[in-house]
Amino acid sequence: MATPRMSASSAWRLAQKAWDLLHADSAQSRELAERALVDAERRGDDAALGWARLASGFHLLYYATAAEAAQELARAEAHFARGGDAAGRILCQAGQARAMWRQGDAPRALAHVLPLRDEGLRVLRPDQRGVLLNTIAGCYSALGESAQAFAYMFEALRDTGSHTGGGFDVVLHCNLSHELLQIGDYEHALLHVSQGLARGQALKNARLTSVLWINRVIALTELGRAGESLPDIAALLALPTDPTGRGRMSPHHETLAIAALRAGQPAMGRDLVARAWTLGDAVQADERLERACATALLALADRRPADALQGLLPMVADAADDLRSGGSVRVRAQFFGVLSEAQEAAGHVAESLHALRQQQRLQRLQSQLASRARYQAAALQSEVIRLQQRLDRHDAHRRRLEAAREELATANAELRRQVAQVKALQQALIEQATHDPLTGLFNRRHLNDALPTLFALATRDGQPMALAIIDLDHFKRINDEHGHIAGDQLLAAFGELLSGHCRRSDVACRYGGEEFCLLMPRTDAAGARRKVQSLLRRWRLQAFDLSGQQVQGLSFSAGVADTRLAADSPDALLKAADDRLLAAKREGRNRVGVAA
């Protein structure tokens, strides 16, 4: 970090400590920055003034308005310019970019901060580099470019580390969980929330904790486990602000209300909906959509579908404008799901189906975003090249300066480690994006990628391809009687059954919840039925110890179709199998239906 030696005054050291504590203890950071500012102004210490205003500016970014923060950061940058402090200047400009995208101008923010990257990687300390890289990631996230956002977030997390980050690694876990929520990867979002909360126990930063709790509430609600989020909701509502009102984030009452209502807590939901409306129009577009959803769910709980529709229908145009507004695809998909429920409750079958199709369209968009994120390894390849070039430069320098051999060898080893980490991260990201973490099978996003290709190959070669959709019978009863851990045990066991009895050419996927999908190339419907019936016999013979009780004789229902019976499109093939699954369930479950 290029900081002048003469600036190491008591005020400068105080300002540096304020910066280091920005995420670990926000209240003390603010207090130290104010003390450093007074001392530095008295001494006319430009370097200390710069760092004190920098810490204050970032504090305002987190707890006040973007406009206030931008003003303070501009003052800090002027001090750094006079003192020739490159590190401080780069961090100021990163903070100003963050203020820009918080004010809704993400393209300008990215154009402002991206040119700073190469200089920042040379000049900044690892923890400071994390701030710069995370800002770039935030700009890409605001632009809906999840692949680039993930690349910079993971690089920032690697540079920051849990021992040198001063709590900034918790910020990165928080941001990663948020981005995973946007692309529908709720299981991995929960993992980063758990890591963030574990690391955050040592911090005094209620804001970070509250954001992590909110992210966990969202993930659990989207996974159909809203009841598990009730302790987090209670903790959020009990979390106090500090005397300035800046101790934590807004508790997102509309998000909590949806979770409470989905968890069957209408009284809590009613109170949270009322709180959500206290802000009036002073909320963002996504918050307005979620507030409309929460209000509609409350009306549905009160059996007032007409009132639910009255609040939702005026928002349809806003919810459909997902690509131009840059808002959350997840929130918009949620909106159309609630609208479908309201239309169905009101007896409007056609309108309910139309809303459901809108929800499915947005969920497909989520899958597309996730698929692009899966290939962010390619975006990281340029980083591998850059690190390799740095390694080459150090090797050449080693040959010229033999006296510095030991120091440069250490630097080279670190660079090689970083290259290996980036390459390993590429492979890990591909694995995470294509596999279901619980069962080890492929996930639905991979199915969306593989099915059109296999369908086209089957059509081209004139060979049949069968598709089976399998639904574990009475799975909800297992969860209700034995708990979600037992349910996860069964899902994992069924995943092992599929993996152990599939050909190498077959593609086994977890379709969602307790549903699975099996693609069988060069297999017709009759052959697929025999195979799935064999799986059913094996499944019924398996015995499980669930919370101390022996359970045996479990079954599933399945629907089978092939490309000769549903030759129009991959969607037609899926629908044909799904129709036979529904028929099998209506006929008593524990059977395999075949499209005729």
Side-chain angles (χ1 to χ4, degrees):
M1 182 184 65
T3 302
R5 289 180 180 274
M6 65 179 183
S7 63
S9 63
S10 59
W12 183 87
R13 289 192 294 271
L14 207 59
Q16 285 284 308
K17 189 173 181 181
W19 171 262
D20 292 339
L21 287 173
L22 190 61
H23 304 101
D25 190 335
S26 57
Q28 187 179 4
S29 170
R30 186 179 182 209
E31 178 188 344
L32 291 174
E34 290 174 348
R35 286 169 50 193
L37 192 61
V38 171
D39 191 10
E41 284 180 337
R42 181 173 57 82
R43 297 171 179 268
D45 187 340
D46 256 334
L49 283 168
W51 282 97
R53 291 195 183 280
L54 178 67
S56 176
F58 269 80
H59 192 280
L60 291 171
L61 271 176
Y62 298 143
Y63 300 112
T65 68
E68 290 176 273
Q71 289 179 355
E72 186 71 353
L73 291 167
R75 296 188 190 101
E77 186 178 3
H79 292 300
F80 288 132
R82 284 193 290 271
D85 189 335
R89 171 180 53 79
I90 292 169
L91 291 171
C92 277
Q93 292 179 357
Q96 289 165 353
R98 185 181 181 92
M100 290 174 197
W101 65 253
R102 269 194 55 191
Q103 291 172 308
D105 197 349
R108 187 164 70 96
L110 183 62
H112 184 80
V113 73
L114 199 54
L116 301 172
R117 194 194 77 153
D118 290 344
E119 183 186 6
L121 292 174
R122 292 194 308 269
V123 169
L124 301 176
R125 298 191 316 241
D127 56 311
Q128 296 169 345
R129 286 200 299 269
V131 174
L132 173 62
L133 295 170
N134 184 57
T135 300
I136 298 174
C139 294
Y140 278 120
S141 176
L143 291 168
E145 297 185 30
S146 292
Q148 291 281 14
F150 276 124
Y152 280 100
M153 284 182 198
F154 276 113
E155 187 183 353
L157 186 60
R158 183 198 65 211
D159 275 354
T160 300
S162 60
H163 301 294
T164 62
F168 190 67
D169 58 315
V170 181
V171 175
L172 293 169
H173 283 302
C174 182
N175 291 348
L176 283 164
S177 66
H178 169 80
E179 200 65 28
L180 288 164
L181 290 175
Q182 302 317 302
I183 64 171
D185 197 343
Y186 305 117
E187 296 284 0
H188 285 114
L190 286 176
L191 290 177
H192 280 287
V193 168
S194 297
Q195 289 176 304
L197 288 172
R199 279 284 302 135
Q201 290 178 354
L203 309 183
K204 295 180 180 179
N205 192 328
R207 176 183 184 271
L208 277 179
T209 302
S210 69
V211 177
L212 287 163
W213 279 339
I214 290 166
N215 286 351
R216 186 160 63 185
V217 168
I218 293 171
L220 290 171
T221 303
E222 292 285 359
L223 288 169
R225 296 157 52 187
E228 297 176 38
S229 72
L230 293 176
D232 287 335
I233 295 174
L236 280 162
L237 295 177
L239 193 63
T241 60
D242 64 21
T244 68
R246 295 176 175 175
R248 60 177 170 89
M249 283 283 283
S250 165
H252 292 268
H253 292 122
E254 61 285 339
T255 302
L256 306 188
I258 291 171
L261 291 164
R262 291 297 193 194
Q265 299 292 324
M268 179 186 289
R270 192 180 310 279
D271 174 62
L272 288 165
V273 168
R275 295 190 191 198
W277 280 100
T278 59
L279 292 178
D281 293 331
V283 293
Q284 297 179 354
D286 286 344
E287 292 170 334
R288 288 196 296 273
L289 289 174
E290 285 204 287
R291 187 171 63 185
C293 288
T295 306
L297 287 174
L298 180 60
L300 290 176
D302 292 340
R303 299 185 178 180
R304 296 182 286 108
D307 291 342
L309 288 173
Q310 185 178 1
L312 291 171
L313 290 176
M315 307 289 291
V316 168
D318 292 337
D321 187 25
D322 54 278
L323 294 176
R324 286 176 293 166
S325 67
S328 168
V329 180
R330 177 193 67 80
V331 170
R332 282 154 174 76
Q334 173 184 254
F335 175 87
F336 283 107
V338 175
L339 178 59
S340 179
E341 293 178 45
Q343 294 283 21
E344 182 180 9
H348 304 158
V349 177
E351 290 83 351
S352 174
L353 181 60
H354 177 72
L356 183 61
R357 286 172 178 161
Q358 288 285 83
Q359 181 189 26
Q360 291 169 342
R361 177 182 67 84
L362 289 161
Q363 288 171 338
R364 286 195 298 272
L365 178 58
Q366 264 189 318
S367 295
Q368 292 166 9
L369 293 173
S371 293
R372 289 198 294 270
R374 181 181 64 193
Y375 294 110
Q376 65 177 281
L380 283 171
Q381 188 61 38
S382 61
E383 184 62 16
V384 175
I385 295 171
R386 184 184 68 80
L387 291 171
Q388 190 64 50
Q389 290 171 341
R390 287 178 61 191
L391 177 61
D392 292 341
R393 288 197 298 271
H394 276 284
D395 283 340
H397 189 58
R398 177 181 55 80
R399 289 191 296 269
R400 292 193 303 268
L401 301 173
E402 288 296 327
R405 180 180 301 162
E406 183 177 349
E407 177 184 353
L408 288 171
T410 302
N412 287 338
E414 175 62 15
L415 286 169
R416 291 190 182 94
R417 182 186 67 82
Q418 292 182 11
V419 171
Q421 283 183 336
V422 172
K423 290 179 178 177
L425 178 59
Q426 290 176 314
Q427 187 58 40
L429 290 173
I430 292 173
E431 183 71 17
Q432 284 184 5
T434 58
H435 286 75
D436 172 62
L438 179 61
T439 63
L441 302 176
F442 288 114
N443 58 24
R444 187 164 183 168
R445 289 196 297 277
H446 182 77
L447 174 66
N448 291 339
D449 290 341
L451 177 55
T453 301
L454 293 178
F455 187 93
L457 288 173
T459 302
R460 187 196 68 185
D461 297 340
Q463 294 285 343
M465 181 184 72
L467 182 148
I469 299 180
I470 301 169
D471 189 310
L472 303 186
D473 292 335
H474 306 297
F475 185 77
K476 185 176 185 299
R477 184 187 303 166
I478 295 293
N479 278 336
D480 292 343
E481 293 178 2
H482 301 283
H484 286 284
I485 293 177
D488 288 350
Q489 180 184 343
L490 289 185
L491 292 172
F494 193 75
E496 290 180 3
L497 178 66
L498 283 181
S499 298
H501 295 86
C502 286
R503 302 171 302 175
R504 292 182 63 182
S505 59
D506 294 341
V507 179
C509 305
R510 184 177 176 191
Y511 196 52
E514 67 270 24
E515 285 191 331
F516 297 81
C517 185
L518 184 59
L519 300 179
M520 293 163 277
R522 298 182 179 272
T523 306
D524 61 14
R529 182 182 188 181
R530 290 192 296 272
K531 179 166 188 169
V532 178
Q533 285 177 328
S534 173
L535 288 171
L536 177 56
R537 288 192 296 272
R538 293 175 185 276
W539 183 242
R540 294 192 62 186
L541 290 174
Q542 290 201 29
F544 301 94
D545 182 359
L546 303 181
S547 60
Q549 297 182 26
Q550 288 293 316
V551 176
Q552 191 174 11
L554 298 173
S555 65
F556 62 73
S557 304
V560 174
D562 66 27
T563 51
R564 292 176 177 174
L565 299 171
D568 293 339
S569 67
D571 287 341
L573 182 60
L574 273 170
K575 185 178 186 306
D578 193 54
D579 288 345
R580 294 314 307 157
L581 169 62
L582 294 175
K585 293 169 75 173
R586 286 195 297 268
E587 292 164 7
R589 296 184 170 86
N590 188 24
R591 65 195 66 218
V592 181
V594 179

